[in-house]
Amino acid sequence: MSSLILPAVLNGLTMGAVYALIALGLTLIYGVLHIINFAHGSLLMLGLYAAYFLFSYLGIDPYLAIIFVVPAFFVLGYLLQRVVIAPMSAGSEQNVLLVTLALSLVIDNLALFFWTSNTRTVDIPYAWDTVEVLGAYLTKGRVIAFFAALLVAGLMWLFMTRTRTGSAIRAVAIEKRGAEIVGIDVNHTYALTFGIGTACVALAACLLLPTFYATPQVGYTFVLVAFTTVVMGGMGSLPGALVAGLALGVIEALGGLFLGESLGQIGIFVAFILTLLFRPAGLLGRKPT
Amino acid sequence: MLEITGIHAGYGQMAVLRGIDMRIGPGEIVALLGSNGVGKTTLNNVISGFIVPSAGEVRFDGERLTGRRPREIVAMGIAQVPEGRKVFPNLTVAENLELGAFRRAGARKRQNFDRICAIFPRLSERLEQLAGTLSGGEQQMLAIGRGLMSEPRLLILDEPSLGLSPLLVEEMFALVTRINAEGVAVLLVEQNVMQSLGVAGRAYVLEQGQLVMQGTAAEMLADPKLRQAYLGL
């Protein structure tokens, strides 16, 4: 049994990195716009299809597709916030909730209508190659996803703390009026943030596709874990999302090992409830002041 | 430099300002005095572009400000230090100052940063501290420093002495004089009549949305009506 634990932990970490990447976008949007983006899972689904169609029609490798899909989804996210969410919500946070929920329903059902509920996969043999890490055999596609997710989390942290735009985003997040006073365009900053969050989820999609699949419902598989990750890490906390995502990946893998594959997610929700009991603001969340 | 003519403004059906005419010349310190709820902050928000007046206009160097966005007004050289400071509590002091140059004077950020650190030694000791952990007085200094980072030609200070200890209030007014000496025109929105008139060249008194008195600080101090109404003398 103990010989299975290390591979489970390592596999969990690779999955956890993808959870973290999805949650990173979600927590960024929550932290800055104070909205819960119910459309996040649908955007992940769109990302998976984008990568799938690029592969099946143009033969573009999903990893190469990153350079097309991620910028395109940044623009998509920017426009969604600017053209759909902001005007329809008219400044009320309850409305935003409904708008993002409606958006997800519309996107999911359009996907079902146009693309049917067939499961689509891409055939990229090298992604299933195994690599030996500390005596455990891991799928290459997962290992790539792990390092890419960590890299992006690091880059995002640098962007948020070291650049002028990053400072502006953090300023808008907590003191909107003060931001307007120094001349920051708040609506632009909101849309920018939504775009970055959407780009993160698109990247996660490109990293997932080689070892996963696309269906119109695929978003649900991830969005529940992503919400859990966001709350567990501390809502709006980027490092929190990373830590919680990795932790949940490991917990899920260990849960699967001890309780059987289909019950793996029980561990996630037990860990979640325990976190809320003992640290209601999340692992790295700041207590409301 | 700043000319305000016939401004009417309010919130929905409620009229707050009823015909304001005001002028600030280059390099002047002008005090806008009045008690709570007479419309001082509303007028300030009209100048900064947060409220669009229902009538009248504001001009800055002859250019019409009315209808422009706050960020465009910042870019033209008007900086606001708002009531309640509105610093970014989750950012460090240094980051707060740097964002002051977001829309204007970005090329001279470094020099202005050093200059402001020299004016506010207490801030320069706390550059890496989060602004939310500063005392009220320090936050007020930071809000002013942030305003100065955009190299404003007109600085609007909304109740800078509010909530400060008497000693700090003294320091604040000395600071206003010092900033002004560098050529920045200042609109000082205050309830603290005595000290405001001590530093201002001219002053206006706002009551119920209308200017009821104006003149040089010396004239105002000698005015028996003002002495009675605001100084209890």
XYZ file of all heavy atoms in Angstrom, chain A residues 82 160-161 164-165 167-168 170-186 286, chain B residues 45 50 70-71 74 80-82 86-92 95 98-103 109 130 146:
400
model
N -17.108 43.804 -20.611
C -17.385 45.154 -21.070
C -18.738 45.266 -21.753
O -19.464 46.225 -21.560
C -16.272 45.536 -22.066
C -16.058 47.010 -22.263
C -15.057 47.541 -21.282
N -15.335 48.929 -20.974
C -14.418 49.887 -20.940
N -13.165 49.598 -21.197
N -14.741 51.101 -20.612
N 1.078 40.921 -10.840
C 0.234 41.648 -9.889
C 1.037 42.522 -8.937
O 0.567 43.569 -8.511
C -0.607 40.652 -9.067
C -1.672 39.942 -9.865
S -2.918 41.051 -10.536
C -3.852 41.415 -9.056
N 2.269 42.077 -8.582
C 3.016 42.830 -7.577
C 4.075 43.759 -8.172
O 4.499 44.689 -7.518
C 3.727 41.882 -6.585
O 4.542 40.977 -7.341
C 2.717 41.103 -5.761
N 2.768 48.163 -13.068
C 1.881 49.282 -12.853
C 0.425 48.833 -12.990
O -0.434 49.183 -12.189
C 2.224 50.327 -13.937
C 1.560 51.627 -13.838
C 2.099 52.505 -14.973
N 1.148 52.553 -16.058
C 0.406 53.628 -16.335
N 0.548 54.721 -15.638
N -0.443 53.618 -17.320
N 0.165 48.011 -14.014
C -1.203 47.532 -14.218
C -1.631 46.625 -13.061
O -2.768 46.689 -12.606
C -1.302 46.766 -15.550
O -0.721 47.579 -16.574
C -2.726 46.465 -15.907
N -0.602 46.805 -9.957
C -0.927 47.678 -8.818
C -2.293 48.302 -9.003
O -3.081 48.404 -8.063
C 0.090 48.814 -8.678
O 1.353 48.313 -8.420
N -2.576 48.718 -10.236
C -3.871 49.349 -10.507
C -5.002 48.359 -10.257
O -6.025 48.717 -9.674
C -3.912 49.859 -11.948
N -4.952 45.820 -8.178
C -5.102 45.637 -6.733
C -5.750 46.860 -6.089
O -6.500 46.748 -5.122
C -3.743 45.344 -6.089
C -3.243 43.933 -6.406
C -1.948 43.633 -5.690
N -0.866 44.475 -6.181
C 0.043 45.041 -5.407
N 0.019 44.858 -4.096
N 0.995 45.784 -5.929
N -5.440 48.037 -6.624
C -6.034 49.266 -6.083
C -7.542 49.287 -6.335
O -8.327 49.576 -5.433
C -5.364 50.484 -6.717
N -7.934 48.963 -7.560
C -9.361 48.961 -7.914
C -10.109 47.936 -7.061
O -11.248 48.169 -6.649
C -9.542 48.639 -9.414
C -10.988 48.328 -9.732
C -9.047 49.800 -10.261
N -9.432 46.807 -6.760
C -10.087 45.735 -6.013
C -10.630 46.226 -4.682
O -11.680 45.797 -4.241
C -9.109 44.580 -5.795
N -9.910 47.132 -4.044
C -10.291 47.454 -2.670
C -10.723 48.903 -2.493
O -11.440 49.229 -1.552
C -9.141 47.082 -1.699
C -9.684 46.864 -0.293
C -8.057 48.101 -1.723
C -8.896 45.846 0.480
N -10.320 49.781 -3.361
C -10.649 51.199 -3.170
C -10.925 51.820 -4.535
O -10.097 52.507 -5.118
C -9.482 51.896 -2.438
C -9.662 53.355 -2.132
C -10.994 53.714 -1.491
O -11.187 53.388 -0.320
O -11.846 54.305 -2.162
N -12.139 51.553 -4.983
C -12.535 51.961 -6.322
C -12.491 53.483 -6.497
O -11.973 53.994 -7.484
C -13.956 51.442 -6.539
C -14.416 51.435 -7.944
C -15.770 50.737 -8.006
C -16.689 51.511 -8.906
N -18.056 51.013 -8.869
N -13.033 54.184 -5.520
C -13.077 55.641 -5.616
C -11.663 56.216 -5.640
O -11.344 57.097 -6.434
C -13.886 56.186 -4.441
C -14.036 57.692 -4.443
C -14.793 58.156 -5.671
N -15.126 59.555 -5.562
C -16.371 60.028 -5.634
N -17.369 59.206 -5.820
N -16.593 61.306 -5.534
N -10.817 55.691 -4.741
C -9.429 56.151 -4.712
C -8.757 55.913 -6.061
O -7.979 56.734 -6.542
N -9.078 54.784 -6.681
C -8.500 54.465 -7.985
C -8.949 55.479 -9.039
O -8.155 55.952 -9.847
C -8.898 53.054 -8.406
N -10.233 55.834 -8.999
C -10.725 56.828 -9.953
C -10.036 58.168 -9.717
O -9.741 58.897 -10.662
C -12.241 56.994 -9.805
C -13.026 55.845 -10.405
C -14.519 55.976 -10.158
O -14.908 56.214 -8.998
O -15.284 55.842 -11.129
N -9.783 58.469 -8.459
C -9.168 59.747 -8.121
C -7.765 59.874 -8.710
O -7.369 60.952 -9.146
C -9.170 59.933 -6.582
C -10.566 60.381 -6.147
C -8.112 60.924 -6.127
C -10.793 60.330 -4.681
N -7.010 58.775 -8.731
C -5.677 58.876 -9.331
C -5.735 58.715 -10.854
O -4.705 58.753 -11.520
C -4.654 57.875 -8.736
C -4.478 58.121 -7.257
C -5.059 56.440 -9.002
N -6.928 58.526 -11.391
C -7.058 58.508 -12.845
C -7.068 57.126 -13.466
O -6.869 56.978 -14.670
N -7.304 56.086 -12.656
C -7.399 54.739 -13.217
C -8.783 54.567 -13.840
O -9.784 54.979 -13.266
C -7.166 53.680 -12.111
C -5.739 53.790 -11.573
C -7.450 52.271 -12.628
C -5.467 52.947 -10.346
N -8.817 53.949 -15.012
C -10.086 53.666 -15.680
C -10.629 52.361 -15.083
O -10.160 51.282 -15.404
C -9.837 53.520 -17.188
C -11.132 53.287 -17.963
O -12.147 52.949 -17.338
O -11.101 53.452 -19.194
N -11.607 52.506 -14.197
C -12.064 51.347 -13.427
C -12.741 50.302 -14.326
O -12.477 49.101 -14.192
C -13.007 51.792 -12.293
C -13.691 50.601 -11.634
C -12.217 52.566 -11.243
N -7.712 36.852 4.164
C -7.660 37.850 5.228
C -9.031 37.957 5.873
O -10.048 37.921 5.188
C -7.231 39.205 4.670
C -5.890 39.616 5.257
C -5.425 40.904 4.645
N -4.617 40.650 3.455
C -4.585 41.470 2.418
N -5.316 42.559 2.412
N -3.815 41.203 1.391
N -16.606 67.480 -5.956
C -16.849 66.385 -6.885
C -17.265 66.862 -8.277
O -17.051 66.157 -9.259
C -17.895 65.425 -6.310
C -17.312 64.546 -5.228
O -16.111 64.290 -5.209
N -18.146 64.101 -4.315
N -16.711 63.842 -10.828
C -17.505 62.728 -10.311
C -18.998 63.015 -10.386
O -19.810 62.106 -10.399
C -17.115 62.405 -8.867
C -15.802 61.683 -8.781
C -14.644 62.354 -8.413
C -15.722 60.341 -9.101
C -13.441 61.686 -8.358
C -14.511 59.667 -9.038
C -13.366 60.342 -8.671
N -13.336 61.805 -14.595
C -12.314 62.111 -13.582
C -10.899 61.910 -14.097
O -10.011 62.731 -13.848
C -12.644 61.123 -12.463
C -14.105 60.871 -12.587
C -14.413 60.967 -14.059
N -10.655 60.824 -14.856
C -9.272 60.561 -15.276
C -8.767 61.591 -16.271
O -7.582 61.870 -16.339
C -9.134 59.145 -15.823
C -10.008 58.810 -17.003
C -9.700 57.404 -17.486
N -10.445 57.081 -18.691
C -11.680 56.604 -18.695
N -12.309 56.397 -17.554
N -12.296 56.329 -19.820
N -7.794 64.560 -14.108
C -6.493 64.306 -13.472
C -5.377 64.601 -14.471
O -4.384 65.265 -14.156
C -6.374 62.837 -12.993
C -4.967 62.535 -12.506
C -7.390 62.546 -11.896
N -7.137 65.515 -6.648
C -8.035 65.600 -5.521
C -7.502 64.770 -4.357
O -7.102 63.625 -4.540
C -9.415 65.065 -5.938
C -10.494 65.429 -4.966
C -11.753 64.573 -5.096
O -12.463 64.393 -4.129
N -12.033 64.054 -6.274
N -7.509 65.357 -3.171
C -7.231 64.586 -1.969
C -8.563 64.498 -1.244
O -9.006 65.448 -0.624
C -6.161 65.277 -1.097
C -5.916 64.471 0.173
C -4.871 65.439 -1.879
N -9.227 63.366 -1.364
C -10.632 63.323 -0.963
C -10.826 63.263 0.541
O -9.915 62.894 1.287
C -11.120 62.024 -1.601
C -9.926 61.154 -1.617
C -8.752 62.062 -1.841
N -9.131 57.816 1.147
C -9.225 56.857 0.037
C -7.862 56.372 -0.451
O -7.637 56.228 -1.649
C -9.990 57.465 -1.145
C -11.317 58.100 -0.775
C -12.387 57.062 -0.596
C -13.722 57.713 -0.280
N -14.639 56.829 0.430
N -6.961 56.123 0.486
C -5.695 55.494 0.082
C -5.974 54.007 -0.130
O -7.038 53.506 0.219
C -4.580 55.694 1.140
C -4.251 57.162 1.280
C -4.975 55.084 2.475
N -5.022 53.292 -0.729
C -5.216 51.869 -1.003
C -4.641 51.064 0.161
O -3.427 50.903 0.253
C -4.530 51.480 -2.315
C -4.931 52.371 -3.462
C -3.984 53.144 -4.121
C -6.255 52.449 -3.860
C -4.359 53.977 -5.166
C -6.639 53.280 -4.899
C -5.691 54.047 -5.555
N -5.506 50.563 1.050
C -5.012 49.948 2.286
C -4.208 48.679 2.055
O -3.349 48.328 2.867
C -6.298 49.642 3.069
C -7.374 49.575 2.050
C -6.968 50.530 0.955
N -4.476 47.984 0.937
C -3.815 46.702 0.663
C -2.514 46.883 -0.106
O -1.868 45.904 -0.447
C -4.759 45.807 -0.142
C -5.242 46.472 -1.420
O -5.311 47.703 -1.488
N -5.552 45.696 -2.430
N -2.154 48.125 -0.387
C -0.910 48.395 -1.092
C 0.067 49.083 -0.136
O -0.348 49.733 0.828
C -1.173 49.304 -2.301
C -1.469 48.616 -3.641
C -2.710 47.756 -3.558
C -1.624 49.644 -4.740
N 1.351 48.952 -0.456
C 2.339 49.600 0.403
C 2.311 51.105 0.155
O 1.742 51.584 -0.828
C 3.761 49.091 0.107
O 4.099 49.467 -1.231
C 3.861 47.582 0.241
N 3.764 51.881 -3.163
C 2.861 51.578 -4.281
C 1.747 52.612 -4.385
O 1.342 53.005 -5.483
C 2.255 50.175 -4.108
C 3.259 49.052 -4.346
C 2.725 47.672 -3.952
O 1.828 47.590 -3.083
O 3.217 46.676 -4.495
N 3.264 55.595 -6.042
C 3.510 55.373 -7.471
C 2.220 55.462 -8.290
O 2.211 55.975 -9.399
C 4.197 54.017 -7.679
C 5.696 54.130 -7.446
C 6.372 52.796 -7.220
O 5.704 51.753 -7.379
O 7.568 52.803 -6.868
N 1.121 54.961 -7.713
C -0.145 55.029 -8.445
C -0.636 56.471 -8.592
O -1.436 56.763 -9.480
C -1.217 54.176 -7.767
C -1.163 52.678 -8.086
C -2.255 51.941 -7.342
C -1.296 52.423 -9.581
N -0.132 57.352 -7.739
C -0.487 58.763 -7.879
C -0.076 59.302 -9.237
O -0.679 60.235 -9.771
N 0.961 58.699 -9.820
C 1.454 59.149 -11.127
C 0.885 58.299 -12.250
O 1.454 58.238 -13.339
C 2.979 59.095 -11.148
N -0.244 57.634 -12.002
C -0.795 56.707 -13.001
C -1.175 57.419 -14.294
O -0.929 56.928 -15.380
C -2.032 56.003 -12.426
C -2.523 54.863 -13.270
C -1.979 53.602 -13.140
C -3.526 55.051 -14.218
C -2.415 52.544 -13.917
C -3.967 53.995 -15.005
C -3.401 52.742 -14.851
N -1.768 58.596 -14.157
C -2.341 59.262 -15.329
C -1.495 60.444 -15.796
O -1.678 60.968 -16.881
C -3.753 59.709 -14.944
C -4.716 60.113 -16.016
C -4.922 59.163 -17.154
N -5.610 57.924 -16.829
C -5.878 56.971 -17.727
N -5.539 57.128 -18.986
N -6.466 55.863 -17.361
N 8.317 60.099 -12.379
C 7.862 59.417 -11.163
C 8.972 59.367 -10.106
O 8.747 59.664 -8.943
C 7.406 58.006 -11.555
C 6.653 57.294 -10.487
C 5.666 56.296 -11.064
C 6.324 55.032 -11.579
N 5.319 54.016 -11.958
N 2.063 48.477 4.666
C 0.764 48.603 4.006
C 0.073 49.873 4.489
O 0.088 50.189 5.677
C -0.115 47.392 4.302
C 0.331 46.056 3.713
C -0.666 44.958 4.056
C 0.499 46.159 2.201
N 0.232 61.239 -2.563
C -0.265 60.584 -3.774
C -0.803 61.614 -4.771
O -0.549 61.527 -5.973
C -1.365 59.588 -3.383
C -1.874 58.761 -4.527
C -2.977 57.821 -4.081
N -4.185 58.548 -3.713
C -5.315 57.966 -3.284
N -5.366 56.670 -3.125
N -6.367 58.707 -2.986
